[in-house]
PDB file of all heavy atoms in Angstrom:
ATOM      1  N   VAL A 109      -7.490  15.076  -3.235  1.00 97.00           N
ATOM      2  CA  VAL A 109      -7.711  13.806  -3.917  1.00 97.00           C
ATOM      3  C   VAL A 109      -6.395  13.341  -4.518  1.00 97.00           C
ATOM      4  O   VAL A 109      -5.612  14.150  -5.018  1.00 97.00           O
ATOM      5  CB  VAL A 109      -8.762  13.949  -5.040  1.00 97.00           C
ATOM      6  CG1 VAL A 109      -8.920  12.647  -5.813  1.00 97.00           C
ATOM      7  CG2 VAL A 109     -10.101  14.396  -4.481  1.00 97.00           C
ATOM      8  N   GLY A 110      -6.161  12.048  -4.483  1.00 97.00           N
ATOM      9  CA  GLY A 110      -4.982  11.467  -5.111  1.00 97.00           C
ATOM     10  C   GLY A 110      -5.149   9.968  -5.223  1.00 97.00           C
ATOM     11  O   GLY A 110      -6.221   9.423  -4.953  1.00 97.00           O
ATOM     12  N   SER A 111      -4.075   9.303  -5.620  1.00 98.00           N
ATOM     13  CA  SER A 111      -4.126   7.845  -5.731  1.00 98.00           C
ATOM     14  C   SER A 111      -2.762   7.254  -5.402  1.00 98.00           C
ATOM     15  O   SER A 111      -1.749   7.949  -5.425  1.00 98.00           O
ATOM     16  CB  SER A 111      -4.556   7.422  -7.134  1.00 98.00           C
ATOM     17  OG  SER A 111      -3.582   7.798  -8.086  1.00 98.00           O
ATOM     18  N   MET A 112      -2.800   5.975  -5.100  1.00 98.00           N
ATOM     19  CA  MET A 112      -1.571   5.220  -4.850  1.00 98.00           C
ATOM     20  C   MET A 112      -1.687   3.874  -5.547  1.00 98.00           C
ATOM     21  O   MET A 112      -2.777   3.335  -5.702  1.00 98.00           O
ATOM     22  CB  MET A 112      -1.358   4.975  -3.349  1.00 98.00           C
ATOM     23  CG  MET A 112      -0.942   6.186  -2.570  1.00 98.00           C
ATOM     24  SD  MET A 112      -0.722   5.839  -0.792  1.00 98.00           S
ATOM     25  CE  MET A 112       0.670   4.701  -0.798  1.00 98.00           C
ATOM     26  N   ARG A 113      -0.544   3.370  -5.967  1.00 98.00           N
ATOM     27  CA  ARG A 113      -0.437   1.999  -6.462  1.00 98.00           C
ATOM     28  C   ARG A 113       0.990   1.571  -6.189  1.00 98.00           C
ATOM     29  O   ARG A 113       1.845   2.398  -5.870  1.00 98.00           O
ATOM     30  CB  ARG A 113      -0.780   1.904  -7.939  1.00 98.00           C
ATOM     31  CG  ARG A 113       0.153   2.676  -8.842  1.00 98.00           C
ATOM     32  CD  ARG A 113      -0.346   2.643 -10.294  1.00 98.00           C
ATOM     33  NE  ARG A 113       0.378   3.606 -11.103  1.00 98.00           N
ATOM     34  CZ  ARG A 113       1.500   3.345 -11.765  1.00 98.00           C
ATOM     35  NH1 ARG A 113       2.059   2.135 -11.681  1.00 98.00           N
ATOM     36  NH2 ARG A 113       2.099   4.270 -12.478  1.00 98.00           N
ATOM     37  N   GLY A 114       1.229   0.286  -6.298  1.00 98.00           N
ATOM     38  CA  GLY A 114       2.588  -0.143  -6.049  1.00 98.00           C
ATOM     39  C   GLY A 114       2.743  -1.636  -6.064  1.00 98.00           C
ATOM     40  O   GLY A 114       1.939  -2.370  -6.646  1.00 98.00           O
ATOM     41  N   SER A 115       3.803  -2.084  -5.383  1.00 98.00           N
ATOM     42  CA  SER A 115       4.075  -3.512  -5.313  1.00 98.00           C
ATOM     43  C   SER A 115       4.954  -3.813  -4.107  1.00 98.00           C
ATOM     44  O   SER A 115       5.633  -2.942  -3.580  1.00 98.00           O
ATOM     45  CB  SER A 115       4.755  -4.002  -6.596  1.00 98.00           C
ATOM     46  OG  SER A 115       5.972  -3.323  -6.792  1.00 98.00           O
ATOM     47  N   TYR A 116       4.853  -5.062  -3.700  1.00 98.00           N
ATOM     48  CA  TYR A 116       5.733  -5.600  -2.665  1.00 98.00           C
ATOM     49  C   TYR A 116       6.646  -6.612  -3.349  1.00 98.00           C
ATOM     50  O   TYR A 116       6.181  -7.449  -4.125  1.00 98.00           O
ATOM     51  CB  TYR A 116       4.935  -6.298  -1.568  1.00 98.00           C
ATOM     52  CG  TYR A 116       3.986  -5.384  -0.843  1.00 98.00           C
ATOM     53  CD1 TYR A 116       2.613  -5.582  -0.921  1.00 98.00           C
ATOM     54  CD2 TYR A 116       4.460  -4.334  -0.074  1.00 98.00           C
ATOM     55  CE1 TYR A 116       1.745  -4.745  -0.248  1.00 98.00           C
ATOM     56  CE2 TYR A 116       3.596  -3.492   0.595  1.00 98.00           C
ATOM     57  CZ  TYR A 116       2.238  -3.700   0.510  1.00 98.00           C
ATOM     58  OH  TYR A 116       1.368  -2.868   1.164  1.00 98.00           O
ATOM     59  N   GLN A 117       7.931  -6.526  -3.071  1.00 98.00           N
ATOM     60  CA  GLN A 117       8.870  -7.492  -3.604  1.00 98.00           C
ATOM     61  C   GLN A 117       8.986  -8.610  -2.563  1.00 98.00           C
ATOM     62  O   GLN A 117       9.290  -8.350  -1.394  1.00 98.00           O
ATOM     63  CB  GLN A 117      10.218  -6.831  -3.893  1.00 98.00           C
ATOM     64  CG  GLN A 117      10.143  -5.809  -5.042  1.00 98.00           C
ATOM     65  CD  GLN A 117       9.290  -4.576  -4.736  1.00 98.00           C
ATOM     66  OE1 GLN A 117       9.487  -3.896  -3.734  1.00 98.00           O
ATOM     67  NE2 GLN A 117       8.307  -4.301  -5.591  1.00 98.00           N
ATOM     68  N   MET A 118       8.692  -9.818  -2.995  1.00 98.00           N
ATOM     69  CA  MET A 118       8.569 -10.968  -2.105  1.00 98.00           C
ATOM     70  C   MET A 118       9.616 -12.020  -2.459  1.00 98.00           C
ATOM     71  O   MET A 118      10.140 -12.038  -3.569  1.00 98.00           O
ATOM     72  CB  MET A 118       7.178 -11.610  -2.264  1.00 98.00           C
ATOM     73  CG  MET A 118       5.990 -10.674  -2.258  1.00 98.00           C
ATOM     74  SD  MET A 118       5.539 -10.035  -0.635  1.00 98.00           S
ATOM     75  CE  MET A 118       5.013 -11.502   0.225  1.00 98.00           C
ATOM     76  N   ILE A 119       9.867 -12.915  -1.493  1.00 97.00           N
ATOM     77  CA  ILE A 119      10.654 -14.116  -1.777  1.00 97.00           C
ATOM     78  C   ILE A 119       9.909 -15.297  -1.162  1.00 97.00           C
ATOM     79  O   ILE A 119       9.503 -15.260   0.001  1.00 97.00           O
ATOM     80  CB  ILE A 119      12.107 -14.019  -1.255  1.00 97.00           C
ATOM     81  CG1 ILE A 119      12.898 -15.248  -1.693  1.00 97.00           C
ATOM     82  CG2 ILE A 119      12.147 -13.807   0.259  1.00 97.00           C
ATOM     83  CD1 ILE A 119      14.391 -15.139  -1.487  1.00 97.00           C
ATOM     84  N   GLY A 120       9.690 -16.312  -1.990  1.00 96.00           N
ATOM     85  CA  GLY A 120       9.052 -17.531  -1.513  1.00 96.00           C
ATOM     86  C   GLY A 120      10.045 -18.393  -0.767  1.00 96.00           C
ATOM     87  O   GLY A 120      11.258 -18.261  -0.953  1.00 96.00           O
ATOM     88  N   GLU A 121       9.518 -19.292   0.055  1.00 95.00           N
ATOM     89  CA  GLU A 121      10.418 -20.191   0.792  1.00 95.00           C
ATOM     90  C   GLU A 121      11.179 -21.107  -0.151  1.00 95.00           C
ATOM     91  O   GLU A 121      12.178 -21.707   0.238  1.00 95.00           O
ATOM     92  CB  GLU A 121       9.654 -21.000   1.841  1.00 95.00           C
ATOM     93  CG  GLU A 121       8.707 -22.022   1.276  1.00 95.00           C
ATOM     94  CD  GLU A 121       7.937 -22.777   2.352  1.00 95.00           C
ATOM     95  OE1 GLU A 121       8.206 -22.583   3.551  1.00 95.00           O
ATOM     96  OE2 GLU A 121       7.054 -23.562   1.982  1.00 95.00           O
ATOM     97  N   ASP A 122      10.736 -21.171  -1.409  1.00 94.00           N
ATOM     98  CA  ASP A 122      11.445 -21.959  -2.420  1.00 94.00           C
ATOM     99  C   ASP A 122      12.561 -21.148  -3.092  1.00 94.00           C
ATOM    100  O   ASP A 122      13.206 -21.619  -4.025  1.00 94.00           O
ATOM    101  CB  ASP A 122      10.468 -22.485  -3.469  1.00 94.00           C
ATOM    102  CG  ASP A 122       9.717 -21.376  -4.201  1.00 94.00           C
ATOM    103  OD1 ASP A 122       9.921 -20.179  -3.884  1.00 94.00           O
ATOM    104  OD2 ASP A 122       8.900 -21.712  -5.081  1.00 94.00           O
ATOM    105  N   GLY A 123      12.778 -19.876  -2.626  1.00 96.00           N
ATOM    106  CA  GLY A 123      13.845 -19.042  -3.158  1.00 96.00           C
ATOM    107  C   GLY A 123      13.439 -18.186  -4.348  1.00 96.00           C
ATOM    108  O   GLY A 123      14.247 -17.405  -4.857  1.00 96.00           O
ATOM    109  N   THR A 124      12.206 -18.307  -4.801  1.00 95.00           N
ATOM    110  CA  THR A 124      11.730 -17.538  -5.953  1.00 95.00           C
ATOM    111  C   THR A 124      11.386 -16.113  -5.545  1.00 95.00           C
ATOM    112  O   THR A 124      10.630 -15.902  -4.600  1.00 95.00           O
ATOM    113  CB  THR A 124      10.472 -18.204  -6.562  1.00 95.00           C
ATOM    114  OG1 THR A 124      10.789 -19.538  -6.934  1.00 95.00           O
ATOM    115  CG2 THR A 124       9.966 -17.428  -7.767  1.00 95.00           C
TER     116      THR A 124
END
Side-chain angles (χ1 to χ4, degrees):
V109 176
S111 65
M112 287 179 65
R113 63 186 168 90
S115 60
Y116 298 115
Q117 293 66 53
M118 313 285 294
I119 185 168
E121 69 182 355
D122 60 358
T124 302

